[in-house]
Amino acid sequence: MMIDFLHEYLNLTGSRLGCGQGVCHACVLIHDREDGTSEEIRTCITGAHFFGGKTIRTVEGLARRNDKGEVVELSAVQQAFLTHYSFQCGYCTPGFVNAATVLVEKLKREPVEKDKVEETITEALNEHICRCTGYVRYFEAVKDVVLSTPGLVKGGK
Amino acid sequence: MMVRFKNTMLKLALAGLIGAALVGCGASSQGSANAEVPASAEQVARGRYLARAGDCAACHTAKDGAPFAGGYPLHTPFGTIHGTNITPDKEHGIGGWSSDDFYLAMTDGVTPDHRLYPAMPYTSYRAMKREDSDAIYAYLMAQKPVAQPNLENGLSFPFNIRAGLWFWQALFVEDKQPDVSAGSSASWQRGRYVSNVLGHCAECHTPRKFSGQMDFSRQLQGNTLDRIGAPDITPEGLAARGWTLKDLNAFFATGLAPQGSAYGEMYPVVHLSTQHLSKSDLSAMSTYLLGDKPPAPQPVRPVAADAAELQAGRQVCTAVCAGCHGGQGEGKPHVAVAMKGNSTVRLKDARNLIVATLDGIEE
C-alpha cells in the first residue's frame, strides 16, 4: 500500500496508519489533479502504483521551506491548528491538516455563503475520526482560517 | 414512446371510469364496521412478527420519522408515491378502519377512502390469510397514534387519477403467483407463503410490463429498480451465482454470506424484516426459492476476455480494490466482503457492480 511506500522507502512518516481499512482517514495525502483541483486519497487502502505519474503532497510538503529544506513558515491551516491547540495526542492531525487544506483550496475556487461555512466545514472533515474527540478545536481552527482568508466566503469578510 | 405510453394509460384510466360506473364498485366494504373483538396480547405479538415479515416499516416509516407514520418516498417510473400513515390516528392514520377494511386494503387495494396504488403490494398480499391480516391490524391498532398528515404524491397525469386504478386492479391483481421452484414439503409450502405473500419478493425481483404490472412469465428473474437492480432469484439464477440453502439462510438472518452482503434496497429488507424472522421461516423461504431439490451451486469459471484488458483491470484492482477486498479478492473479515465468488460480480449484467463502485454502498 502507498503508506508503506511513504514510510519505508521515502522516510515520509507524517501520514499516519490508523485503522488500515479506509475508515479513519488519518493516512490521507493530497492528490493534485491536472485540472488544478485537489482531493484526499487514503494511502492505507490504495496501492503505490496508483500514484505513478500523479502529483501528490503529503503533510510534510505543506509548509514553506528554504533552500536547505528547513521549514520557515507553516501553512495557514497548520498555524491555525497550533494557535487553537487543535490536538491532544496528535495522531489524526496530519489527516485533518490535509482535509482542511483541500477544503481551503476548494473554497478559493468556489467560495461559499457565510451562513454555509459551518456545514461546509463539517462536511469536509466529517470522514475524519479523532479518538480523543478533539473535533471542536479542529472545527474552530478551520473556521478561523476560512473566515480570515480573503476570497473563501461570499458576502462576508 | 413515453407519449404513446401515456396515451395508452389515459385510455386505460377512462376505461376504468366507465367500467366502474357500469359494474358499480363491486368490491366496496363500507358500512361493515363490526364491533371489534379486543385483541389479545398474543395476537398483537403475532401481528408484530407478521408486520416484520411483511416489511411494513420499510415504506410506512420515513427516515428518522415516527414508526408507521408514513412519509417514505417510493420512486416509480410513474412518479413518487409516499408511504402513508398507518398508525391508529383517526384523522391521518387508519384509526377509523375496521379489521374488514384493513383486510380489503391488504388484499384488494381498496380502502374506505379510495383505491390504492400498487406501490402497496396488495398484488402480493392478496393471498394473505384473514387471521394474519387481523393480527397485523391488531398490532398496528396497538401502536401510538401519530397525527402526521400524509404527503402529496408526485404522480403525473393521468396516474394521479385514482379512478383508473379500478381498471388496473381488475386486470392485474391475480390470485396466485407462479412458483419458480418445485417442491411439496411443509417447509416449501410455508416458504411460498412467506416469500410470495408476506415477503413480497416478486414486487422487486420480478420484471414489470409496460403498465407496471408484474410479468409473471418471468417470475423472480430480476428487475431494474432505481440505480441498483434486483437480481434473478430463481433456483437457476441463484445456483448460477453459487447460492446454497445454508448461505441464503445466513444472508437473510445476518445480511452476510460468502456470496456478499445485503446492500441497496435489500439492506432495509434484511435490517427491518428478515433478520427478525424465525429460523424455520427463513429456512422455509430459502427452501421455496431453491426448491425441495436445490440445483447444484455453480463453481466460478474463468471469464473469456482480452488479455491486455484483463491485465489493465488487474492493475487497477490491485491498486484500489485489493486494499480492502484482498490481493486475491478473498475479502477481509469484518472489513470488506470477498469479490471472489461474489454474487454481484457473477451477475450477467455488470450494472450493480458498476453502480456500487461509482456510488459506494450506504453503511
CSV table of all heavy atoms in Angstrom, one decimal, chain A residues 87-140:
chain,number,residue,atom,x,y,z
A,87,PHE,N,-5.2,19.7,19.0
A,87,PHE,CA,-4.9,18.3,19.1
A,87,PHE,C,-4.6,17.8,20.5
A,87,PHE,O,-4.2,18.6,21.3
A,87,PHE,CB,-3.7,17.9,18.2
A,87,PHE,CG,-2.7,19.0,18.0
A,87,PHE,CD1,-1.9,19.4,19.0
A,87,PHE,CD2,-2.7,19.7,16.8
A,87,PHE,CE1,-1.0,20.4,18.8
A,87,PHE,CE2,-1.8,20.8,16.6
A,87,PHE,CZ,-1.0,21.2,17.6
A,88,GLN,N,-4.9,16.6,20.7
A,88,GLN,CA,-4.5,16.1,22.0
A,88,GLN,C,-3.3,15.1,21.8
A,88,GLN,O,-2.2,15.5,21.9
A,88,GLN,CB,-5.6,15.4,22.7
A,88,GLN,CG,-6.7,16.5,23.2
A,88,GLN,CD,-7.9,15.9,23.8
A,88,GLN,OE1,-7.8,15.0,24.7
A,88,GLN,NE2,-9.0,16.4,23.4
A,89,CYS,N,-3.6,13.9,21.3
A,89,CYS,CA,-2.4,13.0,21.1
A,89,CYS,C,-1.8,13.3,19.7
A,89,CYS,O,-0.6,13.0,19.5
A,89,CYS,CB,-2.9,11.6,21.1
A,89,CYS,SG,-3.6,10.9,19.6
A,90,GLY,N,-2.5,14.0,18.8
A,90,GLY,CA,-2.0,14.4,17.6
A,90,GLY,C,-1.9,13.4,16.5
A,90,GLY,O,-1.5,13.7,15.3
A,91,TYR,N,-2.3,12.2,16.8
A,91,TYR,CA,-2.2,11.1,15.8
A,91,TYR,C,-2.9,11.3,14.5
A,91,TYR,O,-2.5,11.1,13.4
A,91,TYR,CB,-2.5,9.7,16.4
A,91,TYR,CG,-2.0,8.6,15.6
A,91,TYR,CD1,-0.7,8.2,15.8
A,91,TYR,CD2,-2.7,7.9,14.7
A,91,TYR,CE1,-0.1,7.1,15.1
A,91,TYR,CE2,-2.2,6.9,13.9
A,91,TYR,CZ,-0.9,6.5,14.2
A,91,TYR,OH,-0.4,5.4,13.4
A,92,CYS,N,-4.1,11.9,14.6
A,92,CYS,CA,-5.0,12.0,13.4
A,92,CYS,C,-4.8,13.4,12.8
A,92,CYS,O,-5.3,13.7,11.7
A,92,CYS,CB,-6.5,11.9,13.8
A,92,CYS,SG,-7.0,13.2,15.0
A,93,THR,N,-3.9,14.2,13.4
A,93,THR,CA,-3.8,15.6,12.9
A,93,THR,C,-3.3,15.7,11.4
A,93,THR,O,-3.9,16.5,10.7
A,93,THR,CB,-2.8,16.4,13.8
A,93,THR,OG1,-3.2,16.2,15.2
A,93,THR,CG2,-2.8,17.9,13.4
A,94,PRO,N,-2.3,14.9,11.0
A,94,PRO,CA,-1.9,15.1,9.6
A,94,PRO,C,-3.1,14.9,8.6
A,94,PRO,O,-3.2,15.7,7.6
A,94,PRO,CB,-0.9,14.0,9.4
A,94,PRO,CG,-0.3,13.7,10.7
A,94,PRO,CD,-1.5,14.0,11.7
A,95,GLY,N,-4.0,14.0,8.9
A,95,GLY,CA,-5.2,13.8,8.1
A,95,GLY,C,-6.1,15.0,8.1
A,95,GLY,O,-6.6,15.4,7.0
A,96,PHE,N,-6.3,15.6,9.3
A,96,PHE,CA,-7.1,16.7,9.4
A,96,PHE,C,-6.5,17.9,8.7
A,96,PHE,O,-7.2,18.7,8.1
A,96,PHE,CB,-7.4,17.1,10.9
A,96,PHE,CG,-8.6,16.4,11.5
A,96,PHE,CD1,-8.4,15.2,12.1
A,96,PHE,CD2,-9.8,16.9,11.3
A,96,PHE,CE1,-9.5,14.5,12.7
A,96,PHE,CE2,-10.9,16.3,11.9
A,96,PHE,CZ,-10.8,15.1,12.5
A,97,VAL,N,-5.2,18.1,8.8
A,97,VAL,CA,-4.5,19.2,8.1
A,97,VAL,C,-4.7,19.0,6.6
A,97,VAL,O,-5.0,20.0,5.9
A,97,VAL,CB,-3.0,19.1,8.4
A,97,VAL,CG1,-2.2,20.1,7.5
A,97,VAL,CG2,-2.7,19.5,9.9
A,98,ASN,N,-4.6,17.8,6.1
A,98,ASN,CA,-4.8,17.7,4.6
A,98,ASN,C,-6.2,17.9,4.2
A,98,ASN,O,-6.5,18.5,3.2
A,98,ASN,CB,-4.3,16.3,4.2
A,98,ASN,CG,-2.8,16.1,4.2
A,98,ASN,OD1,-2.1,17.2,4.2
A,98,ASN,ND2,-2.3,14.9,4.2
A,99,ALA,N,-7.1,17.4,5.0
A,99,ALA,CA,-8.5,17.7,4.7
A,99,ALA,C,-8.9,19.2,4.7
A,99,ALA,O,-9.5,19.7,3.8
A,99,ALA,CB,-9.4,17.0,5.7
A,100,ALA,N,-8.3,19.9,5.7
A,100,ALA,CA,-8.6,21.3,5.8
A,100,ALA,C,-7.9,22.0,4.6
A,100,ALA,O,-8.5,23.0,4.1
A,100,ALA,CB,-8.1,21.9,7.1
A,101,THR,N,-6.7,21.6,4.2
A,101,THR,CA,-6.0,22.2,3.1
A,101,THR,C,-6.8,22.0,1.8
A,101,THR,O,-7.0,23.0,1.0
A,101,THR,CB,-4.6,21.6,3.0
A,101,THR,OG1,-3.9,21.7,4.2
A,101,THR,CG2,-3.8,22.2,1.8
A,102,VAL,N,-7.3,20.8,1.6
A,102,VAL,CA,-8.1,20.6,0.4
A,102,VAL,C,-9.4,21.4,0.4
A,102,VAL,O,-9.8,22.0,-0.6
A,102,VAL,CB,-8.5,19.1,0.3
A,102,VAL,CG1,-9.6,18.8,-0.7
A,102,VAL,CG2,-7.3,18.2,-0.1
A,103,LEU,N,-10.0,21.6,1.6
A,103,LEU,CA,-11.2,22.4,1.7
A,103,LEU,C,-10.9,23.9,1.4
A,103,LEU,O,-11.6,24.5,0.6
A,103,LEU,CB,-11.7,22.3,3.1
A,103,LEU,CG,-12.9,23.3,3.4
A,103,LEU,CD1,-14.1,23.0,2.6
A,103,LEU,CD2,-13.3,23.3,4.9
A,104,VAL,N,-9.8,24.4,1.9
A,104,VAL,CA,-9.4,25.8,1.7
A,104,VAL,C,-9.2,26.0,0.2
A,104,VAL,O,-9.6,27.0,-0.4
A,104,VAL,CB,-8.2,26.2,2.5
A,104,VAL,CG1,-7.6,27.5,2.0
A,104,VAL,CG2,-8.5,26.3,4.0
A,105,GLU,N,-8.5,25.1,-0.4
A,105,GLU,CA,-8.2,25.2,-1.9
A,105,GLU,C,-9.5,25.1,-2.7
A,105,GLU,O,-9.6,25.8,-3.7
A,105,GLU,CB,-7.2,24.1,-2.3
A,105,GLU,CG,-5.8,24.3,-1.8
A,105,GLU,CD,-4.9,23.1,-1.9
A,105,GLU,OE1,-5.4,22.0,-2.4
A,105,GLU,OE2,-3.7,23.2,-1.5
A,106,LYS,N,-10.5,24.3,-2.2
A,106,LYS,CA,-11.7,24.3,-2.9
A,106,LYS,C,-12.5,25.6,-2.8
A,106,LYS,O,-13.1,26.1,-3.7
A,106,LYS,CB,-12.6,23.1,-2.3
A,106,LYS,CG,-13.9,22.9,-3.1
A,106,LYS,CD,-14.7,21.8,-2.5
A,106,LYS,CE,-16.1,21.8,-3.1
A,106,LYS,NZ,-17.1,21.4,-2.2
A,107,LEU,N,-12.5,26.2,-1.6
A,107,LEU,CA,-13.2,27.4,-1.3
A,107,LEU,C,-12.6,28.6,-2.1
A,107,LEU,O,-13.2,29.5,-2.4
A,107,LEU,CB,-13.2,27.7,0.2
A,107,LEU,CG,-14.1,26.7,1.0
A,107,LEU,CD1,-14.0,27.1,2.5
A,107,LEU,CD2,-15.5,26.6,0.5
A,108,LYS,N,-11.3,28.5,-2.4
A,108,LYS,CA,-10.6,29.5,-3.3
A,108,LYS,C,-11.3,29.5,-4.7
A,108,LYS,O,-11.4,30.5,-5.3
A,108,LYS,CB,-9.1,29.3,-3.4
A,108,LYS,CG,-8.4,29.8,-2.2
A,108,LYS,CD,-6.9,29.6,-2.3
A,108,LYS,CE,-6.2,30.1,-1.0
A,108,LYS,NZ,-4.9,29.5,-0.9
A,109,ARG,N,-11.6,28.3,-5.1
A,109,ARG,CA,-12.2,28.2,-6.5
A,109,ARG,C,-13.7,28.4,-6.4
A,109,ARG,O,-14.3,29.0,-7.3
A,109,ARG,CB,-12.0,26.8,-7.0
A,109,ARG,CG,-10.5,26.4,-7.2
A,109,ARG,CD,-10.4,25.0,-8.0
A,109,ARG,NE,-11.2,24.0,-7.3
A,109,ARG,CZ,-10.8,23.2,-6.4
A,109,ARG,NH1,-9.5,23.3,-5.9
A,109,ARG,NH2,-11.5,22.2,-5.9
A,110,GLU,N,-14.3,27.9,-5.3
A,110,GLU,CA,-15.8,28.0,-5.2
A,110,GLU,C,-16.1,28.5,-3.8
A,110,GLU,O,-16.4,27.7,-2.9
A,110,GLU,CB,-16.5,26.7,-5.4
A,110,GLU,CG,-16.1,26.0,-6.7
A,110,GLU,CD,-16.4,24.5,-6.6
A,110,GLU,OE1,-17.2,24.0,-5.7
A,110,GLU,OE2,-15.8,23.7,-7.4
A,111,PRO,N,-16.1,29.9,-3.6
A,111,PRO,CA,-16.5,30.4,-2.3
A,111,PRO,C,-17.9,30.0,-1.9
A,111,PRO,O,-18.8,29.8,-2.7
A,111,PRO,CB,-16.3,31.9,-2.5
A,111,PRO,CG,-15.6,32.1,-3.7
A,111,PRO,CD,-15.9,30.9,-4.6
A,112,VAL,N,-18.1,30.0,-0.5
A,112,VAL,CA,-19.5,29.7,-0.1
A,112,VAL,C,-20.1,30.9,0.6
A,112,VAL,O,-19.4,31.8,1.0
A,112,VAL,CB,-19.5,28.5,0.9
A,112,VAL,CG1,-19.2,27.2,0.2
A,112,VAL,CG2,-18.6,28.7,2.1
A,113,GLU,N,-21.4,30.9,0.8
A,113,GLU,CA,-22.1,31.9,1.5
A,113,GLU,C,-21.7,31.8,3.0
A,113,GLU,O,-21.4,30.7,3.5
A,113,GLU,CB,-23.6,31.7,1.4
A,113,GLU,CG,-24.2,31.8,0.0
A,113,GLU,CD,-24.1,33.2,-0.6
A,113,GLU,OE1,-23.9,34.2,0.2
A,113,GLU,OE2,-24.2,33.4,-1.8
A,114,LYS,N,-21.7,32.9,3.7
A,114,LYS,CA,-21.2,32.9,5.1
A,114,LYS,C,-22.0,32.0,5.9
A,114,LYS,O,-21.5,31.3,6.8
A,114,LYS,CB,-21.3,34.3,5.6
A,114,LYS,CG,-20.5,34.5,6.9
A,114,LYS,CD,-20.2,35.9,7.3
A,114,LYS,CE,-19.3,36.0,8.5
A,114,LYS,NZ,-19.1,37.4,8.9
A,115,ASP,N,-23.3,31.9,5.7
A,115,ASP,CA,-24.2,31.1,6.5
A,115,ASP,C,-24.0,29.6,6.2
A,115,ASP,O,-24.6,28.8,6.9
A,115,ASP,CB,-25.6,31.5,6.4
A,115,ASP,CG,-26.2,31.4,5.0
A,115,ASP,OD1,-25.4,31.1,4.1
A,115,ASP,OD2,-27.4,31.6,4.8
A,116,LYS,N,-23.2,29.3,5.2
A,116,LYS,CA,-23.0,27.9,4.9
A,116,LYS,C,-21.6,27.4,5.3
A,116,LYS,O,-21.3,26.2,5.1
A,116,LYS,CB,-23.1,27.7,3.3
A,116,LYS,CG,-24.4,28.0,2.7
A,116,LYS,CD,-25.3,26.7,2.7
A,116,LYS,CE,-26.5,26.9,1.8
A,116,LYS,NZ,-27.7,26.9,2.5
A,117,VAL,N,-20.8,28.3,6.0
A,117,VAL,CA,-19.5,27.9,6.3
A,117,VAL,C,-19.4,26.7,7.3
A,117,VAL,O,-18.7,25.8,7.0
A,117,VAL,CB,-18.8,29.2,7.0
A,117,VAL,CG1,-17.5,28.7,7.7
A,117,VAL,CG2,-18.4,30.2,5.9
A,118,GLU,N,-20.3,26.8,8.3
A,118,GLU,CA,-20.2,25.7,9.3
A,118,GLU,C,-20.5,24.3,8.7
A,118,GLU,O,-19.8,23.4,8.9
A,118,GLU,CB,-21.1,26.0,10.5
A,118,GLU,CG,-20.6,27.3,11.2
A,118,GLU,CD,-21.1,27.4,12.6
A,118,GLU,OE1,-22.0,26.6,13.0
A,118,GLU,OE2,-20.5,28.2,13.4
A,119,GLU,N,-21.6,24.3,7.9
A,119,GLU,CA,-21.9,22.9,7.4
A,119,GLU,C,-20.9,22.5,6.3
A,119,GLU,O,-20.7,21.3,6.2
A,119,GLU,CB,-23.4,22.9,6.8
A,119,GLU,CG,-23.6,23.8,5.6
A,119,GLU,CD,-25.1,23.8,5.2
A,119,GLU,OE1,-25.9,24.5,5.8
A,119,GLU,OE2,-25.4,23.1,4.2
A,120,THR,N,-20.3,23.5,5.6
A,120,THR,CA,-19.3,23.1,4.7
A,120,THR,C,-18.1,22.5,5.3
A,120,THR,O,-17.5,21.5,4.9
A,120,THR,CB,-18.8,24.4,3.9
A,120,THR,OG1,-20.0,25.0,3.3
A,120,THR,CG2,-17.8,24.0,2.8
A,121,ILE,N,-17.7,23.1,6.5
A,121,ILE,CA,-16.5,22.5,7.2
A,121,ILE,C,-16.9,21.1,7.8
A,121,ILE,O,-16.1,20.2,7.6
A,121,ILE,CB,-16.1,23.5,8.4
A,121,ILE,CG1,-15.6,24.8,7.8
A,121,ILE,CG2,-15.1,22.8,9.2
A,121,ILE,CD1,-15.4,25.9,8.9
A,122,THR,N,-18.1,21.0,8.3
A,122,THR,CA,-18.5,19.7,8.9
A,122,THR,C,-18.4,18.6,7.8
A,122,THR,O,-17.9,17.5,8.0
A,122,THR,CB,-19.9,19.8,9.5
A,122,THR,OG1,-19.9,20.8,10.4
A,122,THR,CG2,-20.3,18.5,10.1
A,123,GLU,N,-19.0,19.0,6.6
A,123,GLU,CA,-19.0,18.0,5.5
A,123,GLU,C,-17.6,17.6,5.1
A,123,GLU,O,-17.3,16.5,4.9
A,123,GLU,CB,-19.7,18.7,4.4
A,123,GLU,CG,-20.3,17.6,3.4
A,123,GLU,CD,-21.0,18.3,2.2
A,123,GLU,OE1,-21.7,19.3,2.4
A,123,GLU,OE2,-20.7,17.9,1.1
A,124,ALA,N,-16.7,18.6,5.0
A,124,ALA,CA,-15.3,18.4,4.6
A,124,ALA,C,-14.5,17.5,5.5
A,124,ALA,O,-13.7,16.7,5.1
A,124,ALA,CB,-14.6,19.7,4.3
A,125,LEU,N,-14.8,17.7,6.8
A,125,LEU,CA,-14.0,17.0,7.8
A,125,LEU,C,-14.7,15.7,8.4
A,125,LEU,O,-14.1,15.0,9.2
A,125,LEU,CB,-13.6,17.9,9.0
A,125,LEU,CG,-12.9,19.2,8.7
A,125,LEU,CD1,-12.6,19.9,10.0
A,125,LEU,CD2,-11.7,19.0,7.9
A,126,ASN,N,-15.9,15.5,7.9
A,126,ASN,CA,-16.8,14.6,8.5
A,126,ASN,C,-16.2,13.1,8.6
A,126,ASN,O,-16.4,12.4,9.5
A,126,ASN,CB,-18.1,14.6,7.8
A,126,ASN,CG,-19.2,14.1,8.7
A,126,ASN,OD1,-19.1,14.2,9.9
A,126,ASN,ND2,-20.3,13.5,8.1
A,127,GLU,N,-15.5,12.8,7.5
A,127,GLU,CA,-15.0,11.4,7.4
A,127,GLU,C,-13.8,11.2,8.3
A,127,GLU,O,-13.4,10.0,8.5
A,127,GLU,CB,-14.6,11.1,6.0
A,127,GLU,CG,-15.7,11.2,5.0
A,127,GLU,CD,-16.7,10.1,5.1
A,127,GLU,OE1,-16.4,9.0,5.5
A,127,GLU,OE2,-17.9,10.4,4.9
A,128,HIS,N,-13.2,12.2,8.9
A,128,HIS,CA,-12.0,12.1,9.7
A,128,HIS,C,-12.4,11.8,11.1
A,128,HIS,O,-13.2,12.4,11.7
A,128,HIS,CB,-11.1,13.3,9.6
A,128,HIS,CG,-10.5,13.5,8.3
A,128,HIS,ND1,-9.1,13.2,8.1
A,128,HIS,CD2,-11.0,13.8,7.0
A,128,HIS,CE1,-8.8,13.4,6.8
A,128,HIS,NE2,-9.9,13.7,6.1
A,129,ILE,N,-11.7,10.7,11.7
A,129,ILE,CA,-12.0,10.3,13.0
A,129,ILE,C,-10.9,10.7,14.0
A,129,ILE,O,-9.7,10.5,13.7
A,129,ILE,CB,-12.3,8.8,13.0
A,129,ILE,CG1,-13.5,8.5,12.3
A,129,ILE,CG2,-12.3,8.3,14.5
A,129,ILE,CD1,-13.8,7.0,12.2
A,130,CYS,N,-11.3,11.3,15.1
A,130,CYS,CA,-10.3,11.7,16.2
A,130,CYS,C,-10.8,10.9,17.4
A,130,CYS,O,-11.8,11.2,18.0
A,130,CYS,CB,-10.3,13.2,16.4
A,130,CYS,SG,-9.5,13.7,17.9
A,131,ARG,N,-10.0,10.0,17.9
A,131,ARG,CA,-10.4,9.2,19.0
A,131,ARG,C,-10.3,9.9,20.4
A,131,ARG,O,-10.8,9.5,21.4
A,131,ARG,CB,-9.7,7.8,19.1
A,131,ARG,CG,-10.4,6.8,18.2
A,131,ARG,CD,-11.8,6.4,18.6
A,131,ARG,NE,-12.8,7.5,18.3
A,131,ARG,CZ,-13.9,7.3,17.6
A,131,ARG,NH1,-14.2,6.1,17.1
A,131,ARG,NH2,-14.7,8.3,17.5
A,132,CYS,N,-9.5,11.0,20.4
A,132,CYS,CA,-9.5,11.9,21.6
A,132,CYS,C,-10.7,12.8,21.6
A,132,CYS,O,-10.9,13.5,22.5
A,132,CYS,CB,-8.3,12.8,21.6
A,132,CYS,SG,-6.7,12.0,21.4
A,133,THR,N,-11.5,12.7,20.5
A,133,THR,CA,-12.7,13.5,20.3
A,133,THR,C,-12.4,15.0,20.4
A,133,THR,O,-13.1,15.8,21.0
A,133,THR,CB,-13.8,13.2,21.4
A,133,THR,OG1,-13.4,13.6,22.7
A,133,THR,CG2,-14.2,11.8,21.3
A,134,GLY,N,-11.3,15.4,19.7
A,134,GLY,CA,-10.9,16.8,19.7
A,134,GLY,C,-11.5,17.6,18.6
A,134,GLY,O,-10.9,18.5,18.1
A,135,TYR,N,-12.7,17.2,18.2
A,135,TYR,CA,-13.3,17.8,17.0
A,135,TYR,C,-13.5,19.3,17.1
A,135,TYR,O,-13.4,20.0,16.1
A,135,TYR,CB,-14.6,17.1,16.7
A,135,TYR,CG,-14.5,15.6,16.4
A,135,TYR,CD1,-14.9,14.7,17.3
A,135,TYR,CD2,-13.9,15.2,15.2
A,135,TYR,CE1,-14.8,13.3,17.1
A,135,TYR,CE2,-13.8,13.8,14.9
A,135,TYR,CZ,-14.2,12.9,15.9
A,135,TYR,OH,-14.1,11.5,15.6
A,136,VAL,N,-13.9,19.7,18.3
A,136,VAL,CA,-14.3,21.2,18.4
A,136,VAL,C,-13.2,22.1,18.0
A,136,VAL,O,-13.3,23.0,17.3
A,136,VAL,CB,-14.9,21.4,19.8
A,136,VAL,CG1,-15.1,22.9,20.0
A,136,VAL,CG2,-16.2,20.7,20.0
A,137,ARG,N,-12.0,21.7,18.5
A,137,ARG,CA,-10.9,22.6,18.3
A,137,ARG,C,-10.4,22.5,16.8
A,137,ARG,O,-10.0,23.5,16.2
A,137,ARG,CB,-9.7,22.3,19.2
A,137,ARG,CG,-10.0,22.9,20.6
A,137,ARG,CD,-9.0,22.5,21.6
A,137,ARG,NE,-9.4,23.0,22.9
A,137,ARG,CZ,-8.6,23.9,23.6
A,137,ARG,NH1,-7.4,24.3,23.1
A,137,ARG,NH2,-9.0,24.3,24.8
A,138,TYR,N,-10.5,21.4,16.2
A,138,TYR,CA,-10.2,21.3,14.8
A,138,TYR,C,-11.2,22.2,14.0
A,138,TYR,O,-10.8,22.9,13.2
A,138,TYR,CB,-10.4,19.8,14.3
A,138,TYR,CG,-9.3,18.9,14.5
A,138,TYR,CD1,-9.5,17.6,15.1
A,138,TYR,CD2,-8.0,19.3,14.2
A,138,TYR,CE1,-8.4,16.8,15.3
A,138,TYR,CE2,-6.9,18.4,14.4
A,138,TYR,CZ,-7.1,17.1,14.9
A,138,TYR,OH,-6.1,16.3,15.1
A,139,PHE,N,-12.4,22.1,14.4
A,139,PHE,CA,-13.5,22.8,13.8
A,139,PHE,C,-13.3,24.3,13.9
A,139,PHE,O,-13.3,25.1,12.9
A,139,PHE,CB,-14.9,22.4,14.4
A,139,PHE,CG,-16.0,23.1,13.7
A,139,PHE,CD1,-16.6,22.4,12.6
A,139,PHE,CD2,-16.5,24.3,14.1
A,139,PHE,CE1,-17.7,23.0,11.9
A,139,PHE,CE2,-17.6,24.9,13.4
A,139,PHE,CZ,-18.2,24.2,12.3
A,140,GLU,N,-12.9,24.8,15.1
A,140,GLU,CA,-12.7,26.2,15.3
A,140,GLU,C,-11.5,26.7,14.5
A,140,GLU,O,-11.6,27.8,14.0
A,140,GLU,CB,-12.5,26.5,16.8
A,140,GLU,CG,-13.8,26.4,17.6
A,140,GLU,CD,-13.7,26.4,19.1
A,140,GLU,OE1,-12.5,26.4,19.6
A,140,GLU,OE2,-14.7,26.6,19.8
